[in-house]
Amino acid sequence: MESVFQNEMIKEILTRYRRIWAIGHAQSVLGWDMEVNMPGEGILERSVAQGELSVLSQEFLLKPDFVELVEKAKGLENLNEYEHGVVRVLDRNIRISRSFPPEFLREMSEVTSQATKAWEEAKKKDDYSKFEPWLDRIIDLAKRAAEYLGYENEPYDALLDLFEEGTTTKDVEKMFDRLEKELKPLVEKIMEEGRVPQSHPLENEHYEQAQMEKVNRWILEKFGFPLGVRSRLDVSAHPFTTEFGIRDVRITTRYEGYDFRRTILSTVHEFGHALYELQQDERFMFSPIVGGVSLGIHESQSRFWENIIGRSREFAGLIYPVLKENLPFMANYTPEDVYLYFNLVRPDFIRTEADVVTYNFHILLRFKLERMMLNEGVKARDLPELWNDEMENLLGIRPKTYAEGILQDIHWAHGTVGYFPTYSIGTLLSAQIYYHMKRDIPDFEEKVANAEFEPIKAWLRERIHRHGSIYPPKELLRKAIGEELNPDYFVRWVKERYL
């Protein structure tokens, strides 16, 4: 395979970078194993190992001779776009890594590893006290991280940029102001008109895990997911995707024994993330430009498959026969039932189970609380009540348990404060991408109905996936669809789908 990297200095940088890549690869394996296989008491040693690896990775990245090489490369002329991408990503990574003292990285890794297990136990037992002290430590770490990174307007800018390069708190505020204004009346109108129901009997039908595993694997097979070759499907408390490399991408789902759309839509969602990684240009292997460029762009891929495809009438018709074959109760339902069941609109406590229309209010809630943590001195003890008040304000419902309120998400246990807005960015972009794709694939819906997914995957590969992290997110969007994020497409899609 011909290399895209021709410049000798870039080649030397990439040779040295392999050690950093290898540490990241090992950390991914350890992280995946912690969520999928590791016995509970393994957390102490695992957290220390992850902490030491984080420090080791930082040491390699900040070695003076490596930093000097990257600095020299910044002044080189006649680099191709791939080489420019390598320099851009490494320069950003060095700047970020240089901001954090090694002892801070070690502490962050150890605290979040242990907080993750504390969260799992707290959620299972609906006992917030088991997680509260860890959350206080994570809030403190988030504040310190923002100070280390530096910011112009407010601490949230620093943390948001880690996950969505070039996006500011003002950008997110503007996005949510537009959404709140448009979506609140739309939710009311959709529920009044009743074209889609607020509940469905299928929510209460029970299934055996083995039955749904067959359905999920059948769906992934239709999508062309290379199970057992370059990918795996496993089970975890919170569904996720981990990429060890272009040829090893793993997803998880969960099985609760009822309400089967949860496991199907989780599986379809994670497939979207995995596809982004699997369709990278293999010439980028072991380099810093392999992998999705940002969490917002990544989420646009998963939400595209989950919402645009997975909740479509055509997809409901496609999967109906395999549902009927594996779930005896499906004899009492039609493909239209499946479609309506996948598209219920009603306020819900759980973000991951929320309908598409109210979903962004769940993100807005978390965005508001995270800013309070950083700007207003809010402590972990204050958050459950603030959470419940905000949910009542935005969605008109109030959680009765911690598990359906503040303990529902794993992200704060992972230390990812500033991450949640990327979910809304991705949700909006998924609709925007759909309308641009429709211009090139006018029979899009027909292709979904017939399980002809290759043209859809090829479009995504050509416009988005193959570029890896060469360009910053906003530039990638301009190249892919000719414009930056525009919430109007999502509002249009909601009106067309639900009204």
Side-chain angles (χ1 to χ4, degrees):
M1 191 187 304
E2 186 184 350
S3 174
V4 295
F5 308 112
Q6 304 300 325
N7 182 278
E8 292 304 318
M9 188 179 290
I10 299 297
K11 286 180 182 178
E12 186 180 350
I13 286 171
L14 291 175
T15 299
R16 298 189 186 201
Y17 177 77
R18 277 208 180 201
R19 285 186 173 181
I20 299 164
W21 173 88
I23 293 169
H25 183 85
Q27 286 181 294
S28 294
V29 176
L30 292 177
W32 173 85
D33 176 74
M34 184 174 79
E35 303 274 7
V36 175
N37 289 325
M38 190 186 78
E41 290 193 10
I43 189 61
L44 177 60
E45 291 149 311
R46 182 61 50 87
S47 65
V48 172
Q50 287 282 42
E52 292 300 329
L53 286 171
S54 296
V55 173
L56 187 60
S57 179
Q58 184 194 42
E59 285 175 7
F60 281 128
L61 185 65
L62 298 184
K63 276 192 170 184
D65 54 348
F66 185 74
V67 173
E68 190 180 338
L69 262 180
V70 174
E71 282 296 321
K72 282 183 183 174
K74 282 163 66 177
L76 291 175
E77 295 180 5
N78 303 320
L79 294 181
N80 63 36
E81 61 178 347
Y82 312 105
E83 293 163 342
H84 272 299
V86 167
V87 176
R88 182 189 73 79
V89 171
L90 284 178
D91 186 50
R92 171 175 159 81
N93 290 351
I94 287 168
R95 174 183 62 78
I96 291 168
S97 189
R98 201 183 250 155
S99 303
F100 299 128
E103 61 272 16
F104 175 82
L105 282 184
R106 189 179 281 113
E107 183 183 356
M108 173 69 88
S109 187
E110 290 183 13
V111 166
T112 54
S113 293
Q114 293 181 68
T116 298
K117 285 300 172 187
W119 168 82
E120 284 181 9
E121 188 183 356
K123 185 181 179 186
K124 196 181 295 180
K125 295 181 178 176
D126 195 38
D127 183 356
Y128 182 63
S129 67
K130 293 184 182 301
F131 183 58
E132 184 183 315
W134 292 103
L135 184 52
D136 269 326
R137 292 188 69 180
I138 283 161
I139 293 169
D140 176 61
L141 286 164
K143 286 179 177 176
R144 286 158 58 196
E147 294 305 319
Y148 286 135
L149 288 162
Y151 50 87
E152 276 187 39
N153 296 312
E154 63 173 281
Y156 202 79
D157 284 333
L159 302 182
L160 180 61
D161 183 74
L162 286 177
F163 304 109
E164 199 61 27
E165 182 184 355
T167 297
T168 65
T169 309
K170 282 184 179 173
D171 292 334
V172 174
E173 272 190 305
K174 186 178 170 186
M175 174 183 79
F176 280 128
D177 286 347
R178 176 98 174 87
L179 284 177
E180 198 169 2
K181 180 185 166 191
E182 291 278 355
L183 290 180
K184 274 202 166 178
L186 268 180
V187 171
E188 290 171 14
K189 192 174 182 187
I190 289 166
M191 292 177 75
E192 277 172 20
E193 290 200 0
R195 288 173 190 249
V196 291
Q198 294 177 38
S199 61
H200 198 283
L202 278 170
E203 293 177 87
N204 301 311
E205 296 283 11
H206 287 256
Y207 64 81
E208 298 294 328
Q209 181 171 324
Q211 295 170 325
M212 282 314 302
E213 282 178 350
K214 285 181 186 175
V215 173
N216 281 334
R217 287 179 178 275
W218 184 91
I219 291 168
L220 291 173
E221 189 181 305
K222 289 294 177 189
F223 285 165
F225 192 55
L227 278 168
V229 182
R230 293 170 63 191
S231 61
R232 287 177 59 95
L233 172 66
D234 292 281
V235 180
S236 66
H238 192 104
F240 69 97
T241 299
T242 296
E243 68 285 351
F244 302 150
I246 298 172
R247 297 189 180 187
D248 187 353
V249 182
R250 307 182 188 188
I251 68 174
T252 69
T253 191
R254 65 179 172 211
Y255 299 99
E256 292 153 306
Y258 69 98
D259 201 4
F260 68 80
R261 74 188 162 147
R262 295 184 183 192
T263 181
I264 287 180
L265 291 176
S266 289
T267 303
V268 173
H269 178 100
E270 298 307 331
F271 166 80
H273 281 305
L275 185 68
Y276 190 178
E277 298 298 330
L278 289 165
Q279 294 205 134
Q280 299 282 307
D281 189 326
E282 291 219 348
R283 296 174 299 175
F284 299 173
M285 205 177 280
F286 312 118
S287 81
I289 58 171
V290 73
V293 67
S294 76
L295 292 179
I297 302 292
H298 233 301
E299 193 66 12
S300 75
Q301 302 308 289
S302 57
R303 295 294 270 175
F304 174 86
W305 285 90
E306 177 191 353
N307 292 341
I308 308 298
I309 291 177
R311 295 182 194 267
S312 68
R313 185 172 266 108
E314 293 74 21
F315 185 73
L318 174 67
I319 66 172
Y320 178 75
V322 73
L323 289 172
K324 199 170 178 184
E325 183 184 328
N326 288 282
L327 305 173
F329 58 78
M330 284 306 298
N332 303 318
Y333 300 96
T334 65
E336 185 66 10
D337 278 314
V338 176
Y339 170 70
L340 292 173
Y341 164 55
F342 276 27
N343 285 280
L344 307 179
V345 174
R346 64 155 185 254
D348 198 303
F349 296 112
I350 308 299
R351 175 187 64 83
T352 54
E353 319 306 343
D355 63 78
V356 186
V357 192
T358 61
Y359 179 83
N360 291 296
F361 294 130
H362 288 263
I363 307 305
L364 176 54
L365 178 154
R366 290 151 175 80
F367 172 60
K368 287 181 175 183
L369 293 191
E370 289 186 337
R371 289 180 78 193
M372 287 181 190
M373 292 179 204
L374 296 176
N375 299 339
E376 298 174 28
V378 163
K379 300 289 185 188
R381 68 170 179 270
D382 309 315
L383 286 167
E385 193 69 14
L386 288 168
W387 179 293
N388 294 349
D389 289 346
E390 198 57 50
M391 181 158 277
E392 195 162 18
N393 171 48
L394 290 169
L395 291 166
I397 54 177
R398 193 173 187 88
K400 294 183 178 66
T401 67
Y402 295 117
E404 67 184 11
I406 194 164
L407 285 178
Q408 65 181 270
D409 287 314
I410 199 171
H411 303 71
W412 289 341
H414 285 167
T416 44
V417 177
Y419 175 107
F420 278 111
T422 65
Y423 282 138
S424 280
I425 290 168
T427 298
L428 303 190
L429 279 176
S430 67
Q432 196 166 346
I433 287 165
Y434 163 68
Y435 285 111
H436 282 276
M437 186 185 287
K438 281 273 285 183
R439 296 172 190 171
D440 298 322
I441 309 177
D443 60 343
F444 176 91
E445 278 73 20
E446 191 179 317
K447 291 208 174 334
V448 173
N450 296 319
E452 295 172 15
F453 295 109
E454 286 309 313
I456 295 168
K457 288 159 64 178
W459 192 97
L460 292 170
R461 180 173 57 243
E462 178 61 28
R463 299 293 189 97
I464 297 168
H465 300 171
R466 72 181 179 88
H467 297 296
S469 299
I470 296 174
Y471 313 110
K474 290 179 179 177
E475 187 178 340
L476 174 65
L477 284 177
R478 286 193 294 270
K479 287 181 178 292
I481 57 176
E483 58 185 359
E484 291 183 14
L485 174 66
N486 182 348
D488 291 347
Y489 288 96
F490 178 75
V491 174
R492 172 185 165 190
W493 179 81
V494 167
K495 288 176 178 175
E496 288 178 2
R497 173 66 66 92
Y498 295 97
L499 293 173

